[in-house]
Amino acid sequence: MVGLTSAAGVIALLDEQDDDLKVYALQKLNGLVDQFWAEISDAVSKIEIMYEDAEFKDRQLAALVASKVYYHLGEFEDSLNFALGAGSLFDLSLKSEYVDTIVSKCIDKYISLRVQEQQEPSNAEPMDPRLKDVVEKMFDRCYQDSEYKQAVGIALEAHRLDVVQHSIKAGGPSNILPYVYELTMTVVLDQAYRNTLLQLLVDQFRKLDVPDYVAINQCLVHLDDHRASAELLQTLVDSGVQADLLMAYQLAFDLESNATQKYLTKVSNALPSESAEAQQLKYDKVKSILSGKETIKLELEFLCRNNNTDMLILKNSKTVLDARLSVYHSAVTFANAFMNAGTTSDDFLRQNLEWLSRATNWSKFSATAALGVIHKGHLSQGLTLLAPYLPQDGVTASPYSEGGSLFALGLIHANHGDEVLEYLRGVLKNTQIEVVQHGACLGLGTAGMATGNDDIYEELKNVLFSDSAIGGEAAGLAMGMVMLGTASEKALDEMLQYAHETQHEKIIRGLAVGISLVMYGKEDAADALIEQLAADKDPIMRYGGMYTIAMAYCGTGSNKAIRRLLHVAVSDVNDDVRRAAVTALGFILFRSYKQVPRIVQLLSESYNPHVRYGACLALGISCAGTGSLEAIELLEPMAKDNVDFVRQGAFIALAMILMQQNDVQNPKAAAVRTMYEEVIKKKNEDALAKFGAVLGQGIIDAGGRNVTISMQSPSGHSNMPAIVGVALFAQFWYWFPASHFLSLAFTPTAIIGVNADLNMPQIEFTSNARPSLFAYIPPTKPPTTVVVEKVATAVLSTTAKAQAKAKKAKTAEAEAMDEDEKPEEKTEQAKEEESKAASKPKKEALSEKLGNLARVVPAQLKYISFDKDARYVPIKKDVTGGIVVLQDNKSGEPETLIATRAAVSSAAAPSFDGKMDVEEEEAPLPEPFNYPFDQNE
């Protein structure tokens, strides 16, 4: 049978007067529309007239045919309107591209109307009841097919909490709740609505048969509800059940890694301070954990024990670079600080006293501040370690070493500054020296991060108002750090006003970046300020506007923020603003880092070197520690760029991406390390590129190869100190000592198990991966000594003949001997088999056993498993690394504990005459060490 080649005959029936013939034509056309839609489209106006005719008996069929015609024409809005008019004839259960597309458009329209209804009720467009019916049918279809996650996805975007609750109940809370939490934190952009959802999740998590305390704790941190956090901890401690007490300790550790100083202080203050003695001991432990002391002590122990710093890399770089140039001296200083961050190892400084003494002015400031990075977290000894350099009454020392030591003190107590804030405030009050003010401001900002302390803010403001360029720049940054994430209107008004009044670019820049920090995490609430800054005629304020977008929307992946940054990146007239706009993309997208190479690909090929540099940093920031091959492929050409600072950015970004990546895990790692060495050795290489390569060497091996740069905590929260640290590190473009801020982003990669007494027992767990996959990078081999070959002695021809004759006679005599005594010679085949056996590599194990304080890199976590029958098992279901509280299944038996041995080494090494102070074993602390700086002054 020959198929139809035209629908003209059927279309002609639409002109008939008889309604039955028209209905017959529509029924036929409904079956033919997918094939002959182009022909039918000429008559679509006739079909529309039938639909609009109230007396026509089959209006719905006319609407369906019209909808399909408009669908094929690509007019989806009209198609949707007619599909709604088709009523029950528009069958949602049919599996076709047409139905799927129209349903999708229907849902999109429903969501947009619901959002408008929630956010702007007065201007909201009325909801079409037919549209609502289609969506309700869609929800029913999801329920029938048990596709509860689909229903949740639509409901979350459409602000339908009733559907969310029903889906959680019907689909099983344990299955649906984690999915709802993930979508809440990634898809929902409106903060008020997100908080409503989080409150709903808290209620749902509490209703579980076994409440998910870890998830409740995470939600409460996002809600900024310190009272509920304190109540949760109190309930667990007071329950009298050992497992609940251990869970309280675990939650306290999680809080410490996720929340701000201000939040932790409020939680700690809300806990009971006067209870029965046994109970109070438990609360004291919880408070000790919340203060950060326990975490820092354990991480310090891990970094000291597992220090794998390759000193030969540093030594080689120092030997090649001319220390008389401050840029090279500073570069090696930063590399040493990064490589030994948190390890308390100052061996390199002790071994290179003469080199160290060459530091002058700001190099001296950086060198002294480096001690803060090396001893980061050494809270108990911070002041003692730095005593030789800190300002002292009646003692005149170098203001640069004094200022650097104050900055170092802040870095040691970063985000845990209770013990030193008063001391730093006292120094700031009592000095008028700009450099000392500079160091004191930075120290106060770093130690008092996110405390919102008004007294500290006022003292910093006094320094700012003195209109000193050096002190004012640091004061602007420090004000932002202290007021981090508070969105304080008073602070913003004062900082903006002074930024417009002062003539010093340094102060304006410090304030611009400080303002961005005040709006950290505020998302939509920062939009008005972003508009104001982005429209400012001063390019430095626009630069601050780009960082405000980065800080306010960090980790959100907000399309609105990305669009704005991309627009500025290609349209602003100032290079600094464009560079900042591209760099900011890395902060917005660090949770979905795989998108970043695609987004910045064209920017990395820009004619403007500042945009290319921004693309480098965006890739480094977002893909840090991931080993992303796509990012590396984009960076490799920029590492050979003809502009020196673009090469510098590429070197730094490659190091950030390849942290803790060995040759087995990432084939590019060895080539990048070799590239750094070659660039540093090249005599005609630009200073800025060499600076980047040396910094890269320090970053790629940071913390003794035991840390990574992580912009989010193991539980998925934004890692505030890390984000702030990287943002301030990016300011090294203008001022090298800002490089030290990167240490705030260094996160130890370990599994540290503690028992109920917060001691470390000996434990064993399995890494179900080849040991070589996550092994440390082997140390650099020292150069082998070349043996000079001796020149052959000249031999006369007569002598050669005599020697040959004697040799022939000896051979003949040997052959005459009894051949039975000759050992049996191996056949060629046997020799070949033996050599093959020797060369055959041993089969590598498919797993390995690890102990407490083991290095476990983020990519390795999915391979980690604890034996359920072991003595110690984690109290938390999912092991996310970091500090894990362990439940003892044999609590009555004696425990084998690991003794802490974190070095209480002194920051000091040499005395002024360059001789080492001998350390006496009996002394409680080694003799303090003073840098021999003043020899050159």
Side-chain angles (χ1 to χ4, degrees), residues 526-681:
D527 283 350
L529 177 64
I530 290 167
E531 289 287 345
Q532 183 183 346
L533 291 171
D536 201 294
K537 63 180 181 181
D538 187 342
I540 301 176
M541 296 308 288
R542 297 202 301 277
Y543 174 90
M546 297 308 102
Y547 272 97
T548 306
I549 296 174
M551 294 296 99
Y553 287 95
C554 58
T556 62
S558 165
N559 288 330
K560 178 175 68 175
I562 292 166
R563 274 197 302 271
R564 174 146 219 159
L565 290 170
L566 289 173
H567 173 71
V568 173
V570 296
S571 65
D572 201 278
V573 294
N574 184 273
D575 285 336
D576 287 353
V577 180
R578 295 176 72 174
R579 186 180 70 246
V582 183
T583 303
L585 290 169
F587 291 97
I588 308 287
L589 289 164
F590 66 76
R591 289 188 201 279
S592 47
Y593 68 89
K594 290 180 181 175
Q595 294 180 27
V596 180
R598 181 172 53 81
I599 289 173
V600 303
Q601 184 173 5
L602 290 174
L603 295 170
S604 69
E605 297 165 8
S606 168
Y607 73 92
N608 188 321
H610 291 265
V611 172
R612 298 201 297 274
Y613 178 91
C616 290
L617 283 195
L619 288 165
I621 290 164
S622 59
C623 303
T626 63
S628 167
L629 290 173
E630 292 87 353
I632 293 169
E633 281 170 16
L634 282 182
L635 287 165
E636 281 176 333
M638 288 193 275
K640 297 169 186 170
D641 200 279
N642 58 356
V643 178
D644 53 358
F645 62 76
V646 177
R647 295 199 298 278
Q648 179 195 81
F651 295 150
I652 291 169
L654 283 167
M656 293 166 89
I657 292 168
L658 288 168
M659 289 179 85
Q660 296 190 321
Q661 302 276 321
N662 62 24
D663 300 346
V664 179
Q665 200 178 352
N666 195 310
K668 302 276 188 183
V672 169
R673 290 170 180 276
T674 307
M675 178 177 66
Y676 289 151
E677 290 175 20
E678 289 171 355
V679 168
I680 292 165
K681 286 176 184 173

Side-chain angles (χ1 to χ4, degrees), residues 172-183:
S174 57
N175 182 33
I176 303 296
L177 275 173
Y179 180 70
V180 177
Y181 175 75
E182 184 187 346
L183 289 185

